[in-house]
Amino acid sequence: MDKALAMIGLCMKAGKLVSGEFPVETGLKQGTVKLVIVAGDASENTKKKFRNMTDYRNIPYVEYKDKIALGSCIGKEYRASIGICDDSFAKSILEKLMK
């Protein structure tokens, strides 16, 4: 498992993560989400929706891995979108994703 996925799993255990389309969208609207990660194999509609929402709110957006990889690192079946709700975790995960 790579370091970014390990950090996402740690973030889940800390309770600083929301997953799934509706919770991530709600978190963005409420201002609690600091980073959005969307699976590379998510639908173009989903990608466009989150890209537009994050651009409007000036929040980092990353496409990473696939639905199964994102889901398994947080102990779920599969997830197309994940929202990180903590500044420190968001910064750390972004650094690991950009390497």
Side-chain angles (χ1 to χ4, degrees):
M1 181 185 287
D2 66 25
K3 292 181 179 181
L5 290 177
M7 281 299 290
I8 293 168
L10 189 63
C11 186
M12 176 68 176
K13 288 178 183 160
K16 302 290 185 182
L17 178 147
V18 291
S19 66
E21 193 167 334
F22 186 71
V24 174
E25 187 178 338
T26 303
L28 279 168
K29 289 177 180 175
Q30 293 173 345
T32 57
V33 171
K34 310 299 181 198
L35 166 66
V36 173
I37 303 169
V38 175
D41 62 348
S43 72
E44 289 305 315
N45 214 18
T46 300
K47 291 177 184 178
K48 184 178 186 295
K49 173 182 173 179
F50 283 114
R51 207 176 303 119
N52 289 342
M53 290 180 78
T54 54
D55 284 350
Y56 178 75
R57 291 168 177 80
N58 201 25
I59 293 172
Y61 166 90
V62 178
E63 289 179 22
Y64 188 63
K65 296 281 185 183
D66 57 25
K67 294 177 189 176
I68 294 171
L70 288 182
S72 65
C73 79
I74 61 170
K76 309 283 185 193
E77 231 177 274
Y78 60 88
R79 286 291 183 266
S81 56
I82 291 176
I84 308 298
C85 299
D86 181 83
D87 285 321
S88 304
F89 274 118
K91 184 178 177 197
S92 178
I93 291 168
L94 258 179
E95 286 172 2
K96 287 174 182 21
L97 290 174
M98 297 304 153
K99 285 186 178 178

